[in-house]
Amino acid sequence: MFTGIIETIGKVIAIEKEGTNYHFDIKSDVSSELKIDQSIAHNGTCLTVVQVSDDIHRVTAIDETLQKTNLGDWVTGTIVNLERCMVANGRFDGHVVQGHVDQIGTVTNIQEQDGSWLFDFEYDFSQGNVTVEKGSVCVNGTSLTCFNSEEGKFRIAIIPYTYEHTNFHQLKVGDKVNLEFDIIGKYVKRLLGQS
């Protein structure tokens, strides 16, 4: 389980295809602390560490993951948001994040507002996911509060710290992002028989 508070960013330094799987080598300042078989969220996607060497770790994405996340768009040099799984005795700073991406969204607008940034996103509403005004949403692994919530679209505001310490500073209009919708909202919707 994760909180959506990004710990650091990493850089994809190599990609190796094996059958339908892709192995990604990620260089980061937490890689040397990782252990094989440990879970770590990459842009909000929970992946298992399969190899560690100094400041580089390797994870493997299967075809299902590549199809339902933005990992299939990664190239050498891609900057990735990283969060290690939550420790049981730590503070819960974000919201409950499982590391299971629900679907891909698209950046439709970016607006700078004198030191902060507004990002607009659209997603396929027919897949049954919803946001609520002032509710939580996870975008590329980052726990955020959404507003202007409508069917298939929402807006978030990014403060300078988050902008600089995540890969939000590299996003452009048209880019694909990983979305994980609030787990509580998903269960409520299911209980009400809306999916």
Side-chain angles (χ1 to χ4, degrees):
M1 183 163 58
F2 306 93
T3 66
I5 303 301
I6 301 304
E7 189 172 356
T8 190
I9 54 175
K11 180 187 260 187
V12 178
I13 61 163
I15 302 171
E16 180 184 330
K17 188 171 193 267
E18 182 181 21
T20 58
N21 299 335
Y22 279 78
H23 304 293
F24 296 102
D25 290 341
I26 313 289
K27 183 174 185 174
S28 79
D29 56 9
V30 298
S31 294
S32 63
E33 301 172 33
L34 300 176
K35 294 179 175 43
I36 291 173
D37 220 17
Q38 183 175 354
S39 295
I40 181 169
H42 298 69
N43 275 2
T45 307
C46 181
L47 298 171
T48 302
V49 175
V50 297
Q51 191 175 5
V52 178
S53 175
D54 297 326
D55 59 351
I56 299 166
H57 69 275
R58 172 174 280 203
V59 291
T60 301
I62 62 172
D63 187 59
E64 170 80 2
T65 303
L66 296 167
Q67 297 300 320
K68 295 193 173 174
T69 67
N70 65 8
L71 276 66
D73 294 335
W74 287 4
V75 296
T76 301
T78 295
I79 301 299
V80 181
N81 292 334
L82 299 175
E83 181 191 0
R84 288 181 281 187
C85 50
M86 184 180 145
V87 292
N89 64 348
R91 290 186 190 276
F92 203 103
D93 291 326
H95 72 280
V96 177
V97 176
Q98 295 182 298
H100 304 157
V101 174
D102 292 306
Q103 66 183 97
I104 294 173
T106 304
V107 180
T108 58
N109 189 48
I110 302 171
Q111 182 181 346
E112 186 175 356
Q113 288 215 314
D114 194 24
S116 63
W117 289 263
L118 298 176
F119 284 79
D120 291 306
F121 300 95
E122 288 185 357
Y123 61 94
D124 181 3
F125 186 70
S126 70
Q127 292 190 34
N129 294 304
V130 296
T131 60
V132 295
E133 195 73 11
K134 301 295 188 265
S136 296
V137 67
C138 194
V139 179
N140 271 357
T142 309
S143 174
L144 297 161
T145 301
C146 62
F147 58 102
N148 289 5
S149 178
E150 301 177 37
E151 290 187 357
K153 61 174 80 169
F154 63 91
R155 173 176 279 184
I156 54 148
I158 298 289
I159 63 171
Y161 183 89
T162 304
Y163 187 80
E164 293 163 15
H165 291 87
T166 66
N167 60 13
F168 273 90
H169 64 273
Q170 291 202 328
L171 288 180
K172 304 178 299 300
V173 171
D175 282 353
K176 304 297 183 194
V177 294
N178 292 332
L179 299 177
E180 181 181 331
F181 296 86
D182 183 44
I183 186 67
I184 296 170
K186 288 189 277 191
Y187 276 110
V188 169
K189 187 175 181 198
R190 178 77 180 262
L191 288 169
L192 293 174
Q194 295 180 10
S195 64

